[in-house]
Amino acid sequence: VSSFSPDKYKLPFFFSEIQNMKNTKLVRGVGFNDKTRPTSMNGKFTIEYGIWLNMLRRCYCQKYQAKQQTYAKCSVSENFKSYSFFYDWCHSQVGYGVAGFELDKDIIIRNNKQYSEDSCVFVPKEVNAFFNDCGLARGKYPLGVSFNKNEGRYTARCSVNGKLKHLGCFNCPDAAHAVYKKFKEELCKKTAEKWYCKIDLRVYEALMTWKVT
């Protein structure tokens, strides 16, 4: 497990000066590529450039946000608007370039809306997927709870590896949610232990202390 010191990789970068440079075309109106880092190889985007473009798209493309509303009001830090800074940052990160790892902005800073060098990490798809149902609309009942009309009771279920696991039926939604909460939090710790040697220490610590809210 490796730790990461944000200050160690904060390069001097003055975005306001770059914005004033002539003949500069900004990506999505905000992103700057000074062409000092590669963007393609063998006719395809480099991994770094593809991630950078997708990040800007999520934050600054209205059509994308209309379809993926969880990215509404998301933004990118001034440093991350520089492709060269983002490229170098990627190469300093635990998990970068590992098959199946993805860029995440809100595991170490919960409910975070900004992609930045202080908040982002690379995590396995399994870790990202773990939190998918936590951001869903909760509707009439607490998270993890639904009403079983056939039995007239409340069912607790939790997603495990993409499949819903039945946790039991209960007489009230609060009891069902309590079981879901305990199971989900224990599952989070098991996930942390599974990936302990391959993830950033900050991710491990966040998973070990994570609570259903």
Side-chain angles (χ1 to χ4, degrees), residues 92-109:
S92 73
Q93 299 305 294
V94 176
Y96 168 71
V98 178
F101 275 55
E102 304 171 334
L103 183 69
D104 178 89
K105 71 180 184 325
D106 52 14
I107 288 181
I108 62 174
I109 302 178

Side-chain angles (χ1 to χ4, degrees), residues 6-108:
D7 293 333
K8 182 178 180 181
Y9 297 101
K10 284 187 176 178
L11 307 180
F13 175 64
F14 305 97
F15 191 73
S16 60
E17 293 181 14
I18 291 176
Q19 284 181 310
N20 293 328
M21 293 176 67
K22 295 181 179 180
N23 301 321
T24 297
K25 183 177 180 181
L26 298 178
V27 180
R28 296 289 178 188
V30 296
F32 177 77
N33 177 16
D34 63 7
K35 299 182 181 180
T36 62
R37 306 294 188 276
T39 58
S40 63
M41 184 175 294
N42 299 323
K44 296 181 180 181
F45 285 150
T46 60
I47 295 174
E48 303 89 348
Y49 195 58
I51 296 172
W52 187 68
L53 290 178
N54 191 45
M55 175 180 66
L56 294 177
R57 177 170 173 252
R58 290 177 175 183
C59 295
Y60 302 107
C61 176
Q62 293 183 352
K63 289 184 178 180
Y64 182 86
Q65 291 187 350
K67 296 180 180 179
Q68 303 289 336
Q69 296 183 9
T70 55
Y71 291 102
K73 297 183 179 180
C74 284
S75 63
V76 174
S77 71
E78 293 302 312
N79 280 335
F80 265 22
K81 290 174 184 176
S82 162
Y83 173 59
S84 61
F85 180 96
F86 182 78
Y87 180 98
D88 292 344
W89 175 87
C90 283
H91 285 264
S92 73
Q93 299 305 294
V94 176
Y96 168 71
V98 178
F101 275 55
E102 304 171 334
L103 183 69
D104 178 89
K105 71 180 184 325
D106 52 14
I107 288 181
I108 62 174

Side-chain angles (χ1 to χ4, degrees), residues 157-173:
R157 296 186 298 176
C158 182
S159 178
V160 180
N161 297 324
K163 297 181 180 180
L164 283 176
K165 180 178 178 63
H166 179 78
L167 303 177
C169 290
F170 306 87
N171 293 326
C172 69

